[in-house]
Amino acid sequence: MSSIKDLPKGEATTVKRERFLDRLMVGADMEFIRSDVNFLDIAPYLGYELTKKWHLKAGYGWRLNVAIKDGVDIRSNGSHGFRTSVNYLVYKGFIGFAGYERSLVVLPETAPGLDTKEWSDIGVFGIRKKYKIFKSLYGDGQVMYYFK
């Protein structure tokens, strides 16, 4: 560049992908939760990029029980529900997030063969680090806090 005339014309703050469809995100979250009983949550979602740093996601999730003793045994436990989240790209793959889940949760048996279900509202916030696994497949490690 030898002079100011060589600078590109137009707005400096234009978004590269302006079309609505280009900002849509389709994917699925898979979370393994290790506790007294191990769970695998699977939640397909539809998201939208508000800006390069702010993303909104909404989806529906199902919870599976996972037993790892003599091999792997995965069974549906009947828990499912709606989830939504807001994500903010903080710095180099670190993402701050906050979310809300409304799920029909299966409670432990109160009597033999009798499962109880109730709706549960859960809030969550935390930070995650995004990693590229392969081409357009990403994973992340996260630290989060659940509250009711």
Side-chain angles (χ1 to χ4, degrees), residues 67-113:
I68 305 170
K69 287 187 181 176
D70 301 324
V72 176
D73 182 22
I74 300 175
R75 297 177 186 204
S76 173
N77 76 353
S79 297
H80 56 90
F82 172 77
R83 55 173 49 185
T84 185
S85 68
V86 123
N87 301 284
Y88 179 74
L89 178 60
V90 179
Y91 179 74
K92 291 189 178 181
F94 285 95
I95 301 164
F97 65 94
Y100 168 76
E101 297 179 15
R102 174 139 175 99
S103 298
L104 184 61
V105 178
V106 176
L107 302 173
E109 291 183 3
T110 54

Side-chain angles (χ1 to χ4, degrees), residues 2-134:
S2 60
S3 77
I4 197 160
K5 292 178 186 176
D6 296 331
L7 288 174
K9 297 191 181 196
E11 295 181 30
T13 58
T14 58
V15 178
K16 288 183 181 177
R17 300 182 311 181
E18 294 180 9
R19 292 180 351 150
F20 176 81
L21 290 176
D22 291 337
R23 292 174 167 239
L24 283 179
M25 302 180 303
V26 177
D29 288 331
M30 289 178 43
E31 299 172 359
F32 182 73
I33 302 157
R34 188 174 177 127
S35 62
D36 295 340
V37 177
N38 298 322
F39 298 109
L40 177 65
D41 286 357
I42 299 174
Y45 67 82
L46 181 63
Y48 184 71
E49 279 186 21
L50 293 173
T51 67
K52 289 184 180 185
K53 291 191 174 215
W54 287 98
H55 302 162
L56 300 174
K57 295 192 316 189
Y60 201 85
W62 291 268
R63 175 160 286 174
L64 306 170
N65 288 348
V66 179
I68 305 170
K69 287 187 181 176
D70 301 324
V72 176
D73 182 22
I74 300 175
R75 297 177 186 204
S76 173
N77 76 353
S79 297
H80 56 90
F82 172 77
R83 55 173 49 185
T84 185
S85 68
V86 123
N87 301 284
Y88 179 74
L89 178 60
V90 179
Y91 179 74
K92 291 189 178 181
F94 285 95
I95 301 164
F97 65 94
Y100 168 76
E101 297 179 15
R102 174 139 175 99
S103 298
L104 184 61
V105 178
V106 176
L107 302 173
E109 291 183 3
T110 54
L114 181 63
D115 286 336
T116 306
K117 295 182 181 184
E118 73 176 28
W119 285 99
S120 176
D121 295 303
I122 299 169
V124 61
F125 68 90
I127 191 155
R128 64 174 52 127
K129 171 69 170 117
K130 187 175 181 178
Y131 299 97
K132 187 171 188 174
I133 297 171
F134 179 74

